[in-house]
């Protein structure tokens, strides 16, 4: 358990978009939950979800998290101090039949996400919203993240 791909993160509780210890989205069979740590802030029922767009900074470079981690470790080692830099969070626009709600979603690392990973995460929302039977895969978070990370555009 714990497979990651861009903003997707497989946990025992399900697939999360964003850092599970901060504000994020939790994908569950009954809907998309906006969560802060473990506290649910809002729930969007799948039958009402039309699409979700993620407002993260992105790059065409496929490994921004790894590079950011190495550079950050080097900077902290040189400074021999916590530099006090915080990770810029993103936004998620959840479009439902009732309108669009914008919620905060955290990031896993400094710097942008790979553009393709964010696009595939948005495709995953559409894929799950289209057919209820697909949501049974939410009980296998690692498998769902693995499918989203495949090179081809299709998840199934």
């Amino acid at each position: 358990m714990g497979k990651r791909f861009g903003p997707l993160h497989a946990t025992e509780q399900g697939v999360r978009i964003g850092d599970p210890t901060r504000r994020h989205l939790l994908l569950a069979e009954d809907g998309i939950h906006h969560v802060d740590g473990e506290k649910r802030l809002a729930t969007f029922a799948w039958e009402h979800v039309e699409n979700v767009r993620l407002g993260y900074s992105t790059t065409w470079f496929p490994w921004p998290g790894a590079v950011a981690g190495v550079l950050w470790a080097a900077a902290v080692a040189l400074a021999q101090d916590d530099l006090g830099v915080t990770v810029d969070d993103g936004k998620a626009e959840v479009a439902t039949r009732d309108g669009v709600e914008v919620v905060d979603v955290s990031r896993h690392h400094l710097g942008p996400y790979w553009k393709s990973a964010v696009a595939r995460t948005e495709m995953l929302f559409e894929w799950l919203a289209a057919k209820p039977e697909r949501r049974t895969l939410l009980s296998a978070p690692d498998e769902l993240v693995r499918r989203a990370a495949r090179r081809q555009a299709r998840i199934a």
Side-chain angles (χ1 to χ4, degrees), residues 115-136:
K115 187 180 229 42
S116 181
V118 172
R120 290 184 210 174
T121 300
E122 291 176 342
M123 288 170 41
L124 177 63
F125 284 115
E126 292 172 10
W127 185 79
L128 290 168
K131 294 188 179 179
E133 62 272 12
R134 292 176 177 168
R135 292 178 221 137
T136 59

Side-chain angles (χ1 to χ4, degrees), residues 25-91:
L25 298 176
L26 171 61
L27 308 184
E29 288 190 44
D30 64 332
I32 301 169
H33 304 286
H34 184 226
V35 183
D36 189 354
E38 293 300 322
K39 179 182 175 190
R40 286 193 184 171
L41 305 173
T43 297
F44 307 96
W46 281 112
E47 52 273 5
H48 298 158
V49 173
E50 294 175 353
N51 67 51
V52 177
R53 295 290 169 243
L54 298 174
Y56 285 123
S57 58
T58 59
T59 179
W60 287 105
F61 182 67
W63 303 286
V67 172
V70 169
L71 293 175
W72 180 247
V76 169
L78 287 172
Q80 296 184 350
D81 192 12
D82 178 8
L83 301 176
V85 175
T86 58
V87 178
D88 289 332
D89 287 336
K91 303 278 185 200

